Amino acid sequence: MKQKQKVIGIVLFIILGYLLFGAFSLFGQTVLGYEYPDGSFLFWPGNRFMDFFNVNQMVYEGKPYVEFYSSYPPFILAIAWLFSRMADYKTYLPDEIRDLPEGKLSYALFVMIFTVLLGILLYKIFQEHKELFRNLFVRMIIILSLIFTAPFVFMLDRGNYLLVAIVCYLAFIYYYEKNETLAAVFLGLATAIKVYPIFMFLLYFVEKKWKNIGIATLSAGVVSILSMLLFQGGLVRNMIEFGYALFAFGGGYETEVPNVYFGVGLTSLLRFPFVVWNQLKIPDWFPVMPVYLLTGSALALWSLYHLWREQLLWKKILILTALMVFLTPNAYMYHLVFMMPAILPFLMAEQSKKSWLDWIYLSFLGLIMIPKAYYYMLSAHSIGIQIVLDGFLLLGMILFYNIFDNTTRKKEKKKQISKPAAV
């Protein structure tokens, strides 16, 4: 597929996906009498934007680790501290501040600042390829479509600070071939915000760019330590409390519903059938986390073996990003936003020799970016079909690459057996 065809294809996927789900939701609510969550792909209405306000409360008095035992990395908490200054979290509860003018203003500023930064980066990308779409209005429609995907809207609905990490992750991908040092710094910042992008250090591993691993690590470490110094309790204690909270979050919640609802990763898929058909309980004979570690490790090593010989950068970025999201413990729908920056190298890549491969990747990515909550098995717990669809779309794309797409891998050199000398 040509670049223009791929861009039009992904935009049509997103727009048609919204229209189809919108028609389904409208019909369900007006004719069939649907009530939440049926007909919606968003989180509970009573918790709208609350990630933002809850995190702000944690940092308001500078005790996110020693008092709230937060699993958020210190750099994003330092950013949240700035936004927390706009309201009085000591007097009011987070859900009260959400409804106050100053609370609404702080969230609006947060969304506007970082969404505009996303838009600027996307504009720069399409400006460099303006021969594809010379009309400015068309370029703006494309940019808005790529930003406001279903996972992005879900992220805004939750009010999650992941939005900041997505800006840094897109900057990392944008500068990867333009300025390696700057790209590594942005990867370090993304890691310091949400930890998960540390998985993308494997991109430097498969490309043998060892210096950039050091730059990214140093960037993440410096901003994390400086941010940690802002909080009460001292550096050592804060680091210990953060480590405990991070590992506790990775293991999941005691009750199984939060480990599954709105999930998109391997841990949700493993738990899903038991939660739905075994009365919300995981049987003692099924060790979720050991199975997750074994399966996830095998999938990652298998992929790395093939990516080590992969010649196209866009495939390395796309598959590693899919692995990052799929293998993140307790990954929720907003984690799919990481796939948006990974789409860009695919869209801008030259036409493949086998266009059917591009169609397959385009279909996977288009389906990932649209609402899919067409049926809830357990409406009371917001557990629906989208959990299985999103998880298997990520897994399907990873398996497709490993099994069927070997067209751009370097061939392994066969060992030559020397013939005996003639007598």
Side-chain angles (χ1 to χ4, degrees), residues 42 215 226 238 275 330:
L42 300 176
I215 295 172
L226 291 177
N238 279 323
V275 170
N330 305 314

Side-chain angles (χ1 to χ4, degrees), residues 354-369:
K354 296 183 178 181
S355 60
W356 68 272
L357 291 172
D358 286 342
W359 278 108
I360 297 295
Y361 285 114
L362 183 70
S363 299
F364 275 122
L365 293 169
L367 290 169
I368 284 171
M369 291 295 140

Side-chain angles (χ1 to χ4, degrees), residues 205-418:
F205 173 75
V206 298
E207 295 224 311
K208 306 176 186 66
K209 295 183 177 180
W210 318 115
K211 176 184 174 182
N212 293 332
I213 294 178
I215 295 172
T217 303
L218 181 63
S219 302
V222 168
V223 296
S224 295
I225 291 173
L226 291 177
S227 300
M228 195 80 78
L229 293 174
L230 296 174
F231 307 128
Q232 297 182 32
L235 178 62
V236 174
R237 185 183 174 190
N238 279 323
M239 290 179 67
I240 292 173
E241 297 292 354
F242 170 57
Y244 281 142
L246 191 64
F247 282 108
F249 178 79
Y253 297 91
E254 290 185 10
T255 56
E256 292 298 340
V257 170
N259 296 326
V260 176
Y261 64 20
F262 307 103
V264 298
L266 178 56
T267 56
S268 296
L269 279 184
L270 291 173
R271 289 180 166 106
F272 180 86
F274 300 108
V275 170
V276 172
W277 292 295
N278 195 47
Q279 300 179 330
L280 308 178
K281 296 178 181 178
I282 307 297
D284 294 335
W285 58 263
F286 187 75
V288 173
M289 294 313 292
V291 172
Y292 156 75
L293 289 171
L294 183 62
T295 306
S297 299
L299 192 62
L301 290 173
W302 185 32
S303 301
L304 283 175
Y305 171 74
H306 290 143
L307 290 170
W308 186 265
R309 296 185 288 124
E310 179 58 56
Q311 299 179 70
L312 294 185
L313 177 63
W314 72 260
K315 290 185 182 180
K316 297 176 186 178
I317 291 175
L318 188 62
I319 299 305
L320 283 173
T321 303
L323 282 166
M324 175 181 71
V325 177
F326 185 65
L327 298 182
T328 294
N330 305 314
Y332 295 111
M333 185 178 172
Y334 47 65
H335 288 95
L336 292 175
V337 184
F338 278 115
M339 297 303 298
M340 185 275 284
I343 288 175
L344 273 300
F346 163 68
L347 296 180
M348 297 305 154
E350 296 297 327
Q351 183 176 3
S352 299
K353 293 181 180 179
K354 296 183 178 181
S355 60
W356 68 272
L357 291 172
D358 286 342
W359 278 108
I360 297 295
Y361 285 114
L362 183 70
S363 299
F364 275 122
L365 293 169
L367 290 169
I368 284 171
M369 291 295 140
I370 62 176
K372 296 176 285 296
Y374 285 97
Y375 175 66
Y376 284 89
M377 294 82 168
L378 300 175
S379 295
H381 301 289
S382 301
I383 294 177
I385 192 66
Q386 73 275 23
I387 299 165
V388 176
L389 294 177
D390 282 326
F392 276 109
L393 282 169
L394 289 171
L395 178 60
M397 184 163 59
I398 295 165
L399 293 178
F400 174 77
Y401 170 76
N402 283 293
I403 298 172
F404 299 105
D405 184 12
N406 60 359
T407 56
T408 52
R409 297 176 200 158
K410 296 177 182 177
K411 304 297 182 184
E412 289 184 301
K413 295 180 180 179
K414 295 182 179 179
K415 294 182 179 179
Q416 293 183 350
I417 302 175
S418 58

Side-chain angles (χ1 to χ4, degrees), residues 181-208:
T181 300
L182 191 56
V185 169
F186 276 115
L187 179 58
L189 294 179
T191 301
I193 292 168
K194 270 294 182 177
V195 179
Y196 317 128
I198 198 173
F199 194 91
M200 293 305 294
F201 282 42
L202 293 174
L203 178 61
Y204 288 136
F205 173 75
V206 298
E207 295 224 311
K208 306 176 186 66

